[in-house]
Amino acid sequence: MALSLKQIEKISKALGDANRLRILQHISKKGGCGQCSEIQGLIDLTQPSISHHIKILIESGLIEPEKEGRNLKYTLNERLFKDYTASVTQLKF
Amino acid sequence: MALSLKQIEKISKALGDANRLRILQHISKKGGCGQCSEIQGLIDLTQPSISHHIKILIESGLIEPEKEGRNLKYTLNERLFKDYTASVTQLKF
DNA sequence: GTTATATATTTAAATATTTCAATATGTTTA
DNA sequence: TAAACATATTGAAATATTTAAATATATAAC
């Protein structure tokens, strides 16, 4: 599915930060991310900052939150990754 | 070729602006962009602002400047577009 | 129901980005 | 060489983003 220019802009912005890229990499590696405070070990930011970055990723649609028992789990929205890269390649939005 | 995290960050930032996306679309449509001041008709910004956006696109590597007789022509770096989308899909950088 | 743990929100400061006006540079043609 | 045109740079204001400290909320275990 082709995305709108606004969607491409929002997703690109979400991808335009080293910390958020690291979070995505981590989630990707784990196929989700059980205890999300793992990320605090990964990137050197306080908990509220990490929460803020995760919010931006969720709002872009790139990840989706899910309850996993007591904690939250975030999963990549692979459909949207595909639509994004296809749209960017074609520059049609 | 896999890009570095820093490269992905920079390219994503370059893509994270509606005006720059419109510039890219325009270049794409024309297969280059003869007189670049065409863009002033396209997006409602002053000449220096457009020049600034083009600079960011050049620094990201997404477009390349070339002399075309009297004026400048910008061409898409299709190789880099491909590498970018491949890297983002795999989240390996 | 209190405590502990995980995540979110609010507020404010620091930093970065976007934009324009003014000016500069570079190239071509007269 | 001067005039005309295309593009770039500088400086400053407006806006947006990133970050942390303090606090709030939500859920599970006790």
Side-chain angles (χ1 to χ4, degrees):
Chain A
M1 198 198 70
L3 304 181
S4 71
L5 188 140
K6 275 288 157 208
Q7 279 179 292
I8 299 288
E9 187 187 8
K10 191 158 200 173
I11 294 170
S12 298
K13 271 192 180 130
L15 292 172
D17 177 278
N19 289 314
R20 288 195 290 271
L21 289 173
R22 284 191 204 100
I23 292 173
L24 289 174
Q25 275 184 324
H26 179 77
I27 295 176
S28 172
K29 254 185 233 153
K30 312 266 294 194
C33 108
Q35 196 156 285
C36 195
S37 47
E38 299 171 342
I39 291 169
Q40 288 188 65
L42 192 73
I43 66 184
D44 193 29
L45 287 179
T46 59
Q47 179 271 320
S49 297
I50 292 171
S51 184
H52 171 245
H53 285 303
I54 286 178
K55 191 181 185 186
I56 287 174
L57 289 172
I58 292 172
E59 283 171 356
S60 76
L62 287 172
I63 65 175
E64 287 167 340
E66 239 183 290
K67 260 193 214 163
E68 161 110 314
R70 180 203 175 95
N71 302 332
L72 276 179
K73 186 172 108 172
Y74 302 98
T75 55
L76 296 182
N77 182 347
E78 296 193 20
R79 171 87 259 135
L80 190 62
F81 271 85
K82 279 203 191 99
D83 290 344
Y84 173 73
T85 54
S87 297
V88 166
T89 303
Q90 300 173 190
L91 287 172
K92 285 186 184 134
F93 24 79
Chain B
M1 197 198 70
L3 304 180
S4 70
L5 187 139
K6 275 288 158 208
Q7 279 180 293
I8 300 288
E9 186 187 6
K10 192 158 199 174
I11 294 169
S12 299
K13 270 191 180 131
L15 292 172
D17 178 277
N19 288 315
R20 288 194 291 271
L21 289 174
R22 281 189 207 104
I23 292 172
L24 290 173
Q25 275 185 325
H26 179 78
I27 295 175
S28 171
K29 252 184 235 156
K30 311 265 294 193
C33 108
Q35 195 156 288
C36 196
S37 49
E38 298 172 343
I39 290 169
Q40 288 187 65
L42 192 72
I43 65 183
D44 191 27
L45 288 179
T46 61
Q47 179 271 319
S49 298
I50 292 172
S51 183
H52 171 247
H53 284 304
I54 286 178
K55 192 181 186 187
I56 287 174
L57 289 171
I58 291 171
E59 283 170 359
S60 77
L62 287 173
I63 65 175
E64 289 167 338
E66 237 182 291
K67 261 194 212 162
E68 160 111 316
R70 179 203 176 93
N71 301 332
L72 277 179
K73 185 173 107 175
Y74 303 97
T75 54
L76 296 182
N77 183 344
E78 297 194 19
R79 172 86 259 134
L80 191 62
F81 270 86
K82 278 203 189 95
D83 290 344
Y84 172 73
T85 54
S87 297
V88 166
T89 303
Q90 300 172 193
L91 287 172
K92 283 183 187 138
F93 28 76

